[in-house]
Amino acid sequence: INIFERQQEGKNPFYRVVDLTDEIDDPEVWGKNFPLQYDDYKRTVDQVRTRYGGSEALPRTPTSADPRNVVSQSKIEEDERLKIMWAGYAFSKDFREERGHAFMLEDQTLTERQQVVQQPGTCMHCHASVYLPYKKLGNGDLVKGFEVMNQMPYFEARKKVSHPVACIDCHDPATMQLRITRPGFIEGMQAFKASQGVASYDVNKMATRQEMRSFVCGQCHVEYYFKGPEKRLVYPWSKGLKVEDILAYYDEIKFKDWTHKDTGAPALKAQHPEFEMWNQGIHARSGVSCADCHMPYKRQGALKISDHHVRSPLLNINRSCQTCHKWPEEELRARVETIQERNFKLRNLAMDALMDLISDLKRAREAGRTDGELATAQDFQRKAQFYLDFVEAENSTGMHAPQEAARILGESIDFSRKGQNALR
Amino acid sequence: INIFERQQEGKNPFYRVVDLTDEIDDPEVWGKNFPLQYDDYKRTVDQVRTRYGGSEALPRTPTSADPRNVVSQSKIEEDERLKIMWAGYAFSKDFREERGHAFMLEDQTLTERQQVVQQPGTCMHCHASVYLPYKKLGNGDLVKGFEVMNQMPYFEARKKVSHPVACIDCHDPATMQLRITRPGFIEGMQAFKASQGVASYDVNKMATRQEMRSFVCGQCHVEYYFKGPEKRLVYPWSKGLKVEDILAYYDEIKFKDWTHKDTGAPALKAQHPEFEMWNQGIHARSGVSCADCHMPYKRQGALKISDHHVRSPLLNINRSCQTCHKWPEEELRARVETIQERNFKLRNLAMDALMDLISDLKRAREAGRTDGELATAQDFQRKAQFYLDFVEAENSTGMHAPQEAARILGESIDFSRKGQNALR
Amino acid sequence: MNNRILRTIVPGTIIGIALGIGIYTFVYARGGSYLVNDPASCANCHIMRDQYDGWVKSSHHNVATCNDCHTPSGFIAQYATKASNGFWHSYAFTTGDFHEPIRIKSGNLAVTDNACRKCHLDLIEGIEGGHAKGSETVSCLRCHRSVGHMH
Ligand SMILES: [Ca+2]
Ligand SMILES: [Ca+2]
């Protein structure tokens, strides 16, 4: 019975129930043709915690302003030093552990950061299914639509979208091939490739299938900033993907995210540079993609499908890691945790060093020293903080590139302590 | 005929030409039974440089005091900061890149460090075939002989030995099985295992064959010190093998190698902790032994043997790495060099930080501050220097445990810079 | 019913059902494939497809079939292994109750490690330590895991 089913399944990969077009963005409709993928996709509502990742489902009393009855743990409460690092910036108000894709739109809409700053429509790029909305706003032109939405106030843009990331954002409806739909990534890759001597790179034409299995994630899991009054979303890769390349870029254009409240430093906030960090690691170098670990193949009868329940690989070690690594599950978990623990300890040292610098700077300022005198130390703070945050905000706790993450933390410590010395 | 010969070889791999006993230490005699291994063993005289390892054969004019006409490059000339780190210690006089096993005895005898300090016979433990000499001096008791030689002056002990590490030091002549002949390692492992709750560990009885393929190297490639007036060789592992465990041990017994000339700090010199560092890495965790990479199997006629030309794996990538890693040779070299370069850059930052601390301390001392006032900063120097040296003296340039090495360097930077702060 | 009877009947029933299912699969899904030597027959179970595809491209596909590496030498031992694996794999396949990706278990791993020696004994006599009677043997698979089929 089971076997018969399996032999049948083996022969007939999918039933075409509806005709998908580029105008349909509701995943439920796509799910009619691909019920297995859709079922898993819906499971991104699950919340399970790992040692350093996953997320915890914390009950909360809904209010009219924020109807969520479950949120994930607050990172700034877990480590109060973060509030000091981000003093004067919205992140010191509310910053939580990220959770599954199903929540992206509501978590963005409801974060208390929205109450502190007026955000632009640009935010939507990575928290909603914007492919169709962009095309509509741009009269068929994706990039034009992107530009239009960028300049809307957040809550106006919010009305134009209705789903978190959906099938249409990663797939071509006709062939189901992967595709890149995000202008930010298309332009970012172009700039990056140009820096390597490749002119007019077109990701949708020139990327290999295996590359696409990471690039679809690189659409959002990257460091970014909003450029100019048009609030254009830009991935700062024109000098390279390493932390020093990105900082050099920001320095060149004299960009800052905010001025640190206690010290006056022109500070930067690094944000989820998973793609950049992964690029420095041994897995990327070995051709292992994000999807290999976060959407591993699973067997459904005779079919092998990609697990669309995107989540921490530690919740699925056998499929995520054991295809390549013949070690027992417990051993693999222990390996990851050894790497993460080492990373976390060094991150804590770097955090302490930064706290020391901030408190020295603050005291110097209170003692009446001018910004001119403090400039060197402030610049060290900018650097130290960006490096530290680059690892802190990277959600793998060092796993995506262990040696590189430790190197960056080591340099961050050096910057913080040199900043202190500059105050002598 | 050729084929016939090979078939014979295959069936009867070892021609027993001589009867080996525990009284024969001349490798040439062992070589009669095992000509293939002996041929390779002799090739450790080769000198070839890799990016960060191997060694360079520099011609030199022999003198009566030092008849060597070839030496390897001087590390303290390549990086003058080393002289400052070791000011007042023999290493600031002469310290060279290590080369093949064939040179170990002459390099030890002729290093200029010998002219600066009176060394004890203990040195011999790791630079000569001491198994038979120890047994003779101890009337058949290895450990007793060890104790006797430790207390001789170096040049008296020197007369008791005649070969660099030889077959008898790693092999049982009757079975050719690996064995541990070095009291330092036997006792060190006992202390280490005791710290893990294993009582009276006997390495020769309890180690697996695969462990022995690393332990024979761990006899010498380790951190050590000479204990007490008996100059007993001790491996400081009773709290564990990590750098912080070893430092905690030295702190507890208030041990120092010397007093830093410029700063008065009670300094430590770390020495070739390959075994300790390898232990923290992913290869050790995966059961990959020193011999797997440094003595890989090679095919010689119809036989497969262990390559006794112990050397940098980068000179033999196809056999050393490619059985496990199916990447092209150039790619594997690039991977190693990426790891090493990252390590080397961070090491340079840590070195600069240490130089800053030393010069601050020196100035403070010259300004008349007392050792009492400087004690905290001096202790930071001790720590920073030991951590840095632990990576610097570890000869793989980070390769044996990339993340761990970077973590240690990061902490070293923190210590140096905190030392500077303590002087404010 | 008291516990003792339960303890006999329940497992008995389960074994009975299992046997039934196992035998059903053995026949229907060609679990008997185990008894022949054609590698393609192992791939009858689509679950063995990866290994089959890997084997086709491996250094050994001209010289060794699945059974050369996955059954011990000697007629009885060979068929005992085949029958036992044939039955349990059929059972596992039907119930779907097995670890994925499939992992070779220690018993079968030992069979395979020994299989290398069937063909390569001459070559490895040196490293096995002709003189080291009774010492541990080398595990070939530590370095050569992928010779039969890339995983
Ligand atoms: Ca999370
Ligand atoms: Ca060398």
Side-chain angles (χ1 to χ4, degrees), chain B residues 151-409:
Chain B
Q151 301 187 38
M152 292 178 175
Y154 179 83
F155 288 99
E156 194 185 322
R158 180 64 187 80
K159 291 183 206 133
K160 308 280 177 200
V161 303
S162 26
H163 305 284
V165 63
C167 322
I168 198 171
D169 295 296
C170 297
H171 291 286
D172 180 323
T175 62
M176 288 309 286
Q177 266 188 307
L178 293 179
R179 65 169 174 190
I180 298 300
T181 56
R182 293 304 193 268
F185 188 79
I186 294 171
E187 293 169 5
M189 276 311 268
Q190 233 158 35
F192 171 56
K193 291 280 181 178
S195 79
Q196 304 197 308
V198 181
S200 43
Y201 181 79
D202 180 341
V203 63
N204 274 315
K205 294 212 180 95
M206 292 152 91
T208 64
R209 174 172 175 186
Q210 182 59 10
E211 284 174 331
M212 287 300 262
R213 290 167 55 86
S214 295
F215 288 179
V216 288
C217 316
Q219 299 188 100
C220 302
H221 288 266
V222 297
E223 162 62 6
Y224 70 91
Y225 80 110
F226 297 159
K227 186 174 173 184
E230 310 81 27
K231 300 286 174 194
R232 191 183 197 85
L233 180 66
V234 173
Y235 298 172
W237 298 341
S238 65
K239 293 174 185 289
L241 299 179
K242 290 193 198 142
V243 63
E244 57 267 35
D245 303 329
I246 295 178
L247 182 61
Y249 173 88
Y250 286 140
D251 282 350
E252 187 174 286
I253 62 164
K254 298 201 191 334
F255 179 79
K256 66 174 177 205
D257 278 306
W258 86 106
T259 302
H260 195 275
K261 201 180 76 182
D262 300 333
T263 67
L268 293 167
K269 171 82 191 75
Q271 267 147 152
H272 34 74
E274 279 93 50
F275 181 73
E276 293 91 333
M277 195 69 103
W278 163 81
N279 249 292
Q280 309 312 319
I282 198 78
H283 281 105
R285 182 138 203 168
S286 305
V288 184
S289 69
C290 313
D292 288 345
C293 296
H294 290 280
M295 300 181 64
Y297 290 125
K298 63 185 272 194
R299 186 181 180 141
Q300 196 94 5
L303 269 188
K304 206 171 143 176
I305 59 166
S306 300
D307 189 345
H308 280 63
H309 180 190
V310 176
R311 61 181 150 160
S312 163
L314 298 186
L315 300 172
N316 195 14
I317 291 179
N318 64 334
R319 295 199 179 91
S320 287
C321 320
Q322 285 183 325
T323 17
C324 296
H325 299 288
K326 309 279 169 194
W327 311 107
E329 225 174 287
E330 278 322 303
E331 169 61 16
L332 281 163
R333 183 188 314 284
R335 286 178 184 209
V336 175
E337 289 182 0
T338 303
I339 290 170
Q340 292 184 322
E341 197 185 321
R342 223 181 252 140
N343 185 84
F344 192 66
K345 281 191 177 152
L346 197 60
R347 170 252 189 222
N348 279 334
L349 284 186
M351 192 68 85
D352 284 341
L354 180 67
M355 292 304 111
D356 288 349
L357 170 57
I358 290 178
S359 92
D360 283 5
L361 255 169
K362 199 173 158 185
R363 231 177 305 122
R365 235 181 159 211
E366 285 162 2
R369 290 169 73 179
T370 65
D371 272 4
E373 293 172 89
L374 299 179
T376 313
Q378 285 168 340
D379 188 55
F380 274 124
Q381 184 194 338
R382 171 184 164 96
K383 288 193 168 68
Q385 189 156 320
F386 186 65
Y387 272 53
L388 167 54
D389 212 1
F390 206 82
V391 176
E392 162 66 18
E394 207 281 330
N395 288 286
S396 74
T397 320
M399 175 64 203
H400 291 149
Q403 189 202 18
E404 172 73 353
R407 187 275 294 190
I408 294 172
L409 290 172

Side-chain angles (χ1 to χ4, degrees), chain A residues 1-4 6-7 299 301-302 304 318-319 322-329, chain C residues 24-25 28-30 46-47 50 93-96 98-103 145 151:
Chain A
I1 334 151
N2 203 346
I3 303 153
F4 176 73
R6 292 193 174 185
Q7 285 186 340
R299 186 190 303 286
K304 268 197 170 170
N318 60 335
R319 296 209 171 82
Q322 285 183 327
T323 358
C324 297
H325 298 287
K326 308 271 165 185
W327 312 107
E329 259 174 62
Chain C
Y24 167 73
T25 314
Y28 183 84
R30 288 172 264 176
H46 46 70
I47 271 167
D50 282 350
F93 182 68
T94 307
T95 57
F98 55 89
H99 184 281
E100 286 202 69
I102 296 172
R103 307 299 306 282
R145 279 205 119 123
H151 39 256

Side-chain angles (χ1 to χ4, degrees), chain A residues 53-54 97-98:
Chain A
E97 172 68 28
E98 77 324 10

